[in-house]
Amino acid sequence: EAPDWLANSLTGKRMPAPERPWWEIPDFDPAVGDIKLLWELSRMDWVLALAQRARQGEQASLDRLNDWLNDWCTVNPPYHGPNWKCGQEASLRVMHLAMAAVVLGQTQDSTSALCNLVHTHLQRIAPTVQYAMAQDNNHGTSEAAALFIGGSWLAAHGRSEGEGWRRQGRRWLEDRAVRLIGPQGTFSQYSVNYHRVVLDTFAMAEVWRRQMAEPAFSEDWYARAAAATQWLYTMVDSANGDAPNIGANDGARLLQLTDTAYRDHRPTVQLAMALFEQRRAYEEGPWNNALRWLDIDVPAEAAAPQGNLVADDGGFAMLRRGSAFALLRYPRFRFRPSQADALHVDFWLDGLNILRDAGTFSYNTEPRWLKYFGGTAGHNTVQFDDRDQMPRLGRFLLGDWLKSSFLEPLSEDAKGVTVSAGYRDGQGAVHRRRIRLESSCLRVEDEVSGFCEKAVLRWRLAPGPWRLDGAQARDGKYTLSVESDGEVASLALVEGFESRHYMEKTSLPVLEVEAHKPCKLVTCFRWGV
């Protein structure tokens, strides 16, 4: 049977009075909880799974696909109910329906009922597209892609109204690429997961363009798409596909054509690399499945090995040395930040995320958890006087944006690679951080001053048997030590929390080092010795 399209998929709570017009439904209704968990099923990624089975000859899957679509349309009459509330949610449905048509070879002979469904969605997206663009985030890229894809789809089936939507979508797609993606590839939301969302969105637009023999997008569009591809390629661990949990992470995952874990980013990287750089990022594996389902050849040429990258367009320094990877996040904001993560350091060794970010957990939860996961305490950095680096003005908005007042470019020698950055916040506290990655050591130097009562340095450790031994934390394989040129008021292992997946919260050990006077703190993380 079809699922309940109007219920929170985790709790089962249903949206009250779902017959209301979409604009009368609140963003955060306590009766249903996090509305994203209601929207999830209506993003229609199940359309892709059923289309894959139908292409392999499973008639029952094709029947189920049509039955579920009919049921969805019955339960969600146009522009009424929670599933019509967000233009981006409508856009994701259009993109997934289009990719299912590609999988089934039905892009040129779609039924009138399917064209009507696409038309109904574009009529919801188009009137509020200016609002989406004003957000300067994934809403704009998603809605632009849906207008382009849906408009050209309708035009190909003789529906003249599709022409205007196609032109509008193409114009906004090209505009958003240049505005929201920097020359070094950083996306406006400073988030690994949203970066994956925008790359998958651009990939779907390009796959559709080729299917429909549409003219190529602008050179600038392809250049920014390629830069964004390199950014994510450098960030992702090639052994397991995982990546730092940096920035907002609401669990979004589009274009699910592979049997891989949620945190495996390799399918996105491989598809984007093939489309925008005509190279392959990885050898044979399940990440090639999306290319085959979408009739994209796996490129013969391999991409260059992952190396160092400084994306100053968004404040990301990525350092690699052998099997070790270190990331320094420094404040370089052209767009609104969503987390107080200035000078956070993420560290990976042999595919294991040892020094890690807290993640997001939920957009609709108790204030203390919103503050914890998005605040300074949820990151590997220094917190001054128990306050966040930037004041929180709302659920998704921080004020008094930090600026890097100190920056030394990345340098590399025979022994290691180094980068430095620092800031002075709105209350006069100063934090300068220098990180150096060598073959068996990560060294982090923190200079702190200008605070009133205390500065707390935190290292959020991978779960394991960590124990304190003087000024060192050990787990049997690794050693993390902290030294200071001044007096350390306290050093302790405490319980912290992280969210590797949306709505998931688990505990982990956190090393906290507290100082009451300006000082220099030196952290050394050692392995293999």
Side-chain angles (χ1 to χ4, degrees):
E1 295 181 357
D4 187 344
W5 310 111
L6 301 175
N8 181 313
S9 55
L10 289 186
T11 67
K13 293 181 179 179
R14 301 189 86 246
M15 174 64 68
E19 69 281 357
R20 289 172 290 174
W22 67 261
W23 59 86
E24 293 183 4
I25 295 174
D27 289 332
F28 301 98
D29 191 326
V32 74
D34 195 329
I35 197 171
K36 186 189 178 301
L37 301 178
L38 186 151
W39 285 341
E40 194 71 38
L41 286 170
S42 291
R43 291 185 168 188
M44 294 188 178
D45 50 7
W46 47 267
V47 168
L48 297 171
L50 294 175
Q52 288 174 297
R53 295 185 178 203
R55 176 165 156 176
Q56 293 176 314
E58 293 186 18
Q59 182 62 39
S61 292
L62 186 60
D63 292 341
R64 177 184 288 184
L65 172 54
N66 287 314
D67 288 345
W68 283 24
L69 283 176
N70 284 330
D71 187 77
W72 191 93
C73 293
T74 299
V75 175
N76 297 276
Y79 324 128
H80 288 74
N83 289 315
W84 289 104
K85 180 170 178 56
C86 178
Q88 178 176 228
E89 296 302 315
S91 299
L92 301 183
R93 289 194 286 274
V94 170
M95 288 188 280
H96 281 147
L97 288 168
M99 293 303 102
V102 172
V103 168
L104 292 171
Q106 296 180 3
T107 58
Q108 302 294 334
D109 58 351
S110 302
T111 65
S112 59
L114 181 56
C115 289
N116 289 341
L117 182 59
V118 172
H119 184 276
T120 300
H121 276 72
L122 299 192
Q123 284 187 311
R124 164 63 187 90
I125 297 165
T128 57
V129 72
Q130 292 286 352
Y131 171 80
M133 300 307 160
Q135 305 308 303
D136 279 337
N137 61 16
N138 59 300
H139 284 248
T141 54
S142 299
E143 295 187 30
L147 288 171
F148 169 74
I149 291 171
S152 58
W153 200 351
L154 295 176
H157 286 78
R159 303 203 178 189
S160 58
E161 62 271 33
E163 293 287 349
W165 285 325
R166 173 173 60 180
R167 290 193 300 270
Q168 185 184 25
R170 174 185 287 269
R171 176 171 60 84
W172 276 121
L173 260 180
E174 294 178 346
D175 173 88
R176 294 295 87 183
V178 174
R179 175 164 174 77
L180 302 183
I181 299 174
Q184 290 91 43
T186 305
F187 182 52
S188 64
Q189 288 179 273
Y190 313 116
S191 156
V192 171
N193 192 57
Y194 282 134
H195 197 102
R196 175 168 67 174
V197 167
V198 77
L199 264 187
D200 283 337
T201 299
F202 279 21
M204 287 187 276
E206 174 64 7
V207 166
W208 187 261
R209 183 198 68 77
R210 296 183 184 188
Q211 283 280 329
M212 308 302 283
E214 289 278 338
F217 295 114
S218 68
E219 292 184 7
D220 287 341
W221 190 86
Y222 288 107
R224 295 303 169 93
T229 300
Q230 278 293 332
W231 189 99
L232 190 59
Y233 172 56
T234 305
M235 190 76 77
V236 169
D237 184 86
S238 59
N240 58 28
D242 205 351
N245 206 10
I246 299 292
N249 182 351
D250 71 351
R253 186 186 182 195
L254 310 183
L255 195 58
Q256 297 186 46
L257 292 169
T258 59
D259 185 16
T260 52
Y262 165 76
R263 293 193 59 85
D264 189 343
H265 297 73
R266 287 172 294 184
T268 292
V269 173
Q270 188 81 326
L271 178 59
M273 190 74 76
L275 290 173
F276 304 128
E277 295 211 344
Q278 294 74 53
R279 296 180 177 89
R280 67 178 190 276
Y282 315 108
E283 298 303 322
E284 187 60 36
W287 37 86
N288 284 333
N289 291 345
L291 280 71
R292 297 187 175 112
W293 284 109
L294 299 173
D295 300 321
I296 304 296
D297 293 332
V298 178
E301 183 180 353
Q306 295 165 303
N308 304 320
L309 174 65
V310 176
D312 194 55
D313 53 12
F316 293 89
M318 310 174 204
L319 285 60
R320 289 190 175 273
R321 195 79 175 176
S323 62
F325 168 63
L327 167 70
L328 174 65
R329 174 79 177 103
Y330 61 93
R332 188 71 90 201
F333 302 125
R334 288 197 306 129
F335 302 94
R336 60 183 180 182
S338 65
Q339 296 198 351
D341 60 356
L343 302 191
H344 166 83
V345 167
D346 231 67
F347 179 68
W348 296 65
L349 182 65
D350 297 325
L352 175 64
N353 187 189
I354 300 175
L355 305 178
R356 45 179 61 184
D357 191 294
T360 300
F361 180 51
S362 174
Y363 293 154
N364 187 8
T365 185
E366 300 170 52
R368 68 186 180 109
W369 293 120
L370 287 173
K371 177 179 174 61
Y372 179 84
F373 283 96
T376 306
H379 302 90
N380 295 321
T381 187
V382 174
Q383 182 177 25
F384 296 114
D385 299 322
D386 292 327
R387 58 181 170 80
D388 282 334
Q389 297 163 335
M390 297 172 281
R392 183 164 293 280
L393 304 181
R395 194 181 299 266
F396 302 110
L397 184 63
L398 299 175
D400 200 5
W401 297 357
L402 296 177
K403 296 180 180 179
S404 291
S405 58
F406 168 74
L407 185 65
E408 290 184 352
L410 184 146
S411 62
E412 188 169 11
D413 56 37
K415 292 186 176 181
V417 56
T418 306
V419 69
S420 303
Y423 69 85
R424 178 189 298 272
D425 71 14
Q427 298 190 40
V430 175
H431 182 193
R432 285 190 172 194
R433 171 163 276 185
R434 179 179 187 267
I435 71 170
R436 179 171 175 81
L437 179 61
E438 299 182 352
S439 58
S440 61
C441 177
L442 172 69
R443 180 182 172 92
V444 181
E445 300 176 5
D446 292 301
E447 297 178 38
V448 294
S449 62
F451 52 93
C452 295
E453 297 181 358
K454 63 180 179 179
V456 178
L457 168 65
R458 290 185 178 87
W459 292 114
R460 306 172 51 81
L461 305 168
W466 294 91
R467 59 181 177 83
L468 272 183
D469 182 6
Q472 296 181 337
R474 303 173 181 270
D475 79 336
K477 293 177 62 179
Y478 313 115
T479 301
L480 188 150
S481 63
V482 181
E483 298 178 351
S484 174
D485 63 359
E487 181 180 355
V488 171
S490 67
L491 187 150
L493 271 176
V494 302
E495 183 185 31
F497 296 91
E498 68 172 348
S499 177
R500 306 293 280 181
H501 304 84
Y502 198 65
M503 295 302 298
E504 174 191 76
K505 181 167 78 263
T506 56
S507 64
L508 82 173
V510 180
L511 181 65
E512 291 190 350
V513 183
E514 184 173 322
H516 293 170
K517 294 181 180 180
C519 63
K520 180 178 181 179
L521 298 165
V522 179
T523 301
C524 290
F525 183 88
R526 294 183 176 87
W527 63 94
V529 293

